[in-house]
Amino acid sequence: MAKAVFWRGALGVTNLLIFSASLVLLVGTVLIFLRSNELVEIAGQENFKPIAITYIAGGLFVVLVTFLGCFGAFKGSIVVLVVFALLMLAMVVVQVAGAFVCTYYYSDQVQSKTRDWMEDSMRQYSSKQSVRNAWDRFQTEMECCGVDGPPDWIVKAGTSIPPSCCRSGSDGVNCHVENDHFDRGCLDKVHEAVEDNLRQLIVIGFLVTGFELMNVLFALCAICGLRKSTTYA
């Protein structure tokens, strides 16, 4: 009986840790995408929605399952703990598979299509204020211009080179006259930013997965302890 109580207590503690980590995952996902507003506008909102929705839905599901685990540990219900352990194990499998897909498949897809997404958003520069603001801020902060370079604005977007492509200290007029633009395109900068954001989310996801595996182990130990105490009773 004492062992069953110990494992139920351990299960409750790790559930609290997973609950906290899941909240961090949810909040982290939201903050990353809020912080990356310019990146999302430049590369296309619809291309980042699947990642955000997947992580948010996964975090909410983990929160619900941890509540189930806490209930099972508190009540000492073998049935609830078995269901909890199976759900938790299923989540581990799904999360590992999802991390693999994001790292090796979706990441490659993003890199191969980013150029098209950026060129599409460049064409909206003159008509959409949010896109204009995103490009201006991104180019100024990252010291880059266009997709591959300044000529992209003229050739691909059909507009003049924005003042945000001008180097520090140059105004828009003198910049165009003196050709004092940032030479490097923004494509590599966007790739780096996308990979950095994905890396952060994957690291948080693996930390949560580690706690989940501990929880499966503790749940199984608690189930064994409860069965023994029931048999001896």
Side-chain angles (χ1 to χ4, degrees):
M1 184 65 181
K3 288 185 177 180
V5 172
F6 171 78
W7 290 119
R8 284 164 58 190
L11 182 60
V13 171
T14 52
N15 265 313
L16 288 176
L17 290 174
I18 292 177
F19 177 76
S20 302
S22 299
L23 288 180
V24 170
L25 180 64
L26 285 171
V27 174
T29 302
V30 173
L31 288 178
I32 284 173
F33 280 93
L34 287 177
R35 187 186 66 189
S36 307
N37 183 56
E38 292 82 15
L39 177 63
V40 172
E41 285 287 352
I42 289 172
Q45 278 186 328
E46 67 280 1
N47 303 308
F48 286 86
K49 282 182 180 179
I51 302 176
I53 292 172
T54 299
Y55 270 89
I56 291 173
L60 288 173
F61 186 69
V62 171
V63 169
L64 293 174
V65 174
T66 54
F67 273 119
L68 181 64
C70 286
F71 177 79
F74 178 74
K75 291 292 187 181
S77 172
I78 294 177
V79 174
V80 174
L81 288 176
V82 168
V83 173
F84 165 76
L86 290 174
L87 287 175
M88 192 64 73
L89 193 59
M91 280 197 306
V92 170
V93 173
V94 170
Q95 286 168 348
V96 171
F100 179 82
V101 170
C102 284
T103 303
Y104 296 102
Y105 175 75
Y106 195 79
S107 179
D108 290 341
Q109 291 293 309
V110 168
Q111 289 208 12
S112 65
K113 295 180 180 179
T114 300
R115 180 186 298 276
D116 294 334
W117 298 340
M118 291 177 69
E119 290 176 358
D120 287 341
S121 68
M122 285 180 71
R123 298 185 187 97
Q124 302 176 49
Y125 181 86
S126 301
S127 59
K128 193 173 180 180
Q129 185 66 42
S130 60
V131 172
R132 184 184 306 119
N133 293 340
W135 269 103
D136 287 343
R137 184 171 177 178
F138 193 84
Q139 290 183 142
T140 300
E141 291 182 354
M142 297 298 173
E143 298 185 348
C144 59
C145 185
V147 178
D148 296 304
D152 289 340
W153 286 106
I154 299 172
V155 177
K156 298 176 181 178
T159 185
S160 59
I161 301 173
S164 56
C165 281
C166 299
R167 298 182 188 278
S168 179
S170 300
D171 59 44
V173 176
N174 290 331
C175 174
H176 295 317
V177 172
E178 300 169 7
N179 196 29
D180 189 24
H181 307 106
F182 297 124
D183 297 322
R184 185 180 177 185
C186 297
L187 181 62
D188 290 339
K189 294 288 187 179
V190 171
H191 279 165
E192 291 169 7
V194 170
E195 289 177 358
D196 183 56
N197 287 338
L198 282 175
R199 196 178 300 115
Q200 291 179 43
L201 292 175
I202 289 171
V203 167
I204 295 173
F206 271 116
L207 288 174
V208 174
T209 302
F211 283 122
E212 289 169 353
L213 285 173
M214 288 175 58
N215 242 11
V216 172
L217 177 62
F218 291 156
L220 293 176
C221 291
I223 291 167
C224 291
L226 285 169
R227 280 181 174 172
K228 286 181 179 179
S229 62
T230 302
T231 301
Y232 292 137

